[in-house]
């Protein structure tokens, strides 16, 4: 019984090692491909959401002519809390000075936390009527921001808007992706171990209860006996 247990364990370990290696390689390939695709899709969706949020805010009637700080603060606070998907919104005047600001995480609306808008950003938005994705001058804690110009009813730039998201949203996506693969990996290893146990028992039955090394040992013993007989006959 002890000999059978040892032999069974040896076959089982060999089969399990091969299956585990295959599972690990497959999971690593799947994880790499999934992360690349997830990052690409997340970046595209994130950038589109930022652009849309900045443009919608720039076209809001409250910002069309003279921008009132109180009205602007009320509007962006309501927008952020309303589930827009943005975590930071800000409004700047035509000179780049912050007028209104709201941070969902801290609940702060103190515009002194924001630096004046970068001159390069304003020049870019003034020359090109489009939305600019920019990270260098993003408020602390934000991962990516979108900026666009506010045009008054007479067609002149009356200010700028900014929409941003936190880095934690990207980290959360990475964590959930890794967690799902870890759970799948644990389940795959469990079922792989069960399958390797069944396969090792089937191999053991096909080998009449012998370990593969037992056949090698028996063959070598048989060769030694035949060599001894040949020597005895020749003698």
């Amino acid at each position: 019984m002890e000999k059978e247990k040892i032999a069974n364990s040896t076959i089982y370990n060999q089969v399990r090692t091969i299956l585990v290696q295959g599972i690990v390689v497959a999971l690593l390939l799947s994880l790499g491909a999934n992360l690349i695709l997830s990052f690409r899709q997340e970046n595209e969706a994130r950038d589109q959401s930022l652009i849309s949020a900045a443009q919608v805010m720039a076209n809001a009637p409250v910002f069309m002519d003279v921008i009132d700080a109180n009205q602007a603060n009320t509007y962006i606070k309501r927008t952020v809390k309303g589930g827009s998907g943005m975590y930071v919104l800000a409004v700047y005047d035509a000179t780049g000075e912050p007028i209104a600001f709201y941070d969902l995480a801290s609940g702060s609306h103190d515009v002194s936390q924001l630096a004046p808008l970068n001159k390069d950003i304003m020049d870019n938005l003034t020359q090109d009527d489009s939305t600019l994705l920019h990270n260098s001058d993003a408020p602390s804690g934000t991962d990516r921001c979108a900026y666009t110009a506010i045009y008054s009813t007479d067609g002149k730039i009356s200010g700028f808007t900014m929409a941003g998201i936190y880095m934690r949203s990207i980290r959360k996506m990475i964590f959930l992706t890794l967690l799902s693969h870890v759970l799948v990996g644990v389940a795959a290893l469990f079922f792989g171990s069960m399958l390797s146990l069944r396969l090792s028992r089937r191999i053991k039955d096909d080998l009449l209860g012998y370990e593969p090394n037992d056949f090698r040992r028996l063959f070598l013993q048989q060769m030694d006996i035949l060599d001894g007989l040949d020597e005895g006959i020749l003698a």
Side-chain angles (χ1 to χ4, degrees), residues 5-20 189-190 192-201 203-204 211-212:
K5 183 177 180 180
I6 295 174
N8 226 354
S9 176
T10 302
I11 297 174
Y12 169 67
N13 287 337
Q14 292 176 353
V15 174
R16 183 181 61 180
T17 300
I18 295 174
L19 287 178
V20 168
L189 289 174
F190 173 76
S193 297
M194 298 299 294
L195 290 174
S196 62
L197 178 60
R198 294 185 59 183
L199 182 58
S200 64
R201 288 176 176 175
I203 294 174
K204 183 74 178 297
E211 180 73 21

Side-chain angles (χ1 to χ4, degrees), residues 106-154:
S106 63
S108 173
H109 53 82
D110 184 6
V111 295
S112 63
Q113 297 182 16
L114 289 181
L117 201 57
N118 188 292
K119 187 176 182 301
D120 293 336
I121 296 178
M122 290 192 295
D123 291 342
N124 194 309
L125 293 174
T126 302
Q127 297 171 5
D128 186 10
D129 183 17
S130 63
T131 303
L132 176 66
L133 292 168
H134 192 74
N135 298 332
S136 300
D137 297 297
S140 176
T142 54
D143 172 58
R144 194 158 175 78
C145 293
Y147 299 85
T148 192
I150 302 173
Y151 288 89
S152 60
T153 53
D154 58 3

Side-chain angles (χ1 to χ4, degrees), residues 73-176:
N73 271 312
T74 301
Y75 174 82
I76 64 175
K77 183 177 181 180
R78 184 172 66 249
T79 302
V80 172
K81 288 188 172 182
S84 64
M86 299 298 106
Y87 303 111
V88 178
L89 292 178
V91 178
Y92 302 82
D93 63 17
T95 64
E97 291 295 328
I99 298 176
F101 164 74
Y102 188 74
D103 185 338
L104 181 62
S106 63
S108 173
H109 53 82
D110 184 6
V111 295
S112 63
Q113 297 182 16
L114 289 181
L117 201 57
N118 188 292
K119 187 176 182 301
D120 293 336
I121 296 178
M122 290 192 295
D123 291 342
N124 194 309
L125 293 174
T126 302
Q127 297 171 5
D128 186 10
D129 183 17
S130 63
T131 303
L132 176 66
L133 292 168
H134 192 74
N135 298 332
S136 300
D137 297 297
S140 176
T142 54
D143 172 58
R144 194 158 175 78
C145 293
Y147 299 85
T148 192
I150 302 173
Y151 288 89
S152 60
T153 53
D154 58 3
K156 295 181 180 180
I157 293 180
S158 59
F160 304 92
T161 62
M162 183 272 290
I165 60 173
Y166 296 135
M167 291 186 67
R168 67 173 66 99
S169 64
I170 308 301
R171 297 194 186 102
K172 182 180 179 181
M173 185 271 293
I174 297 174
F175 172 76
L176 292 177

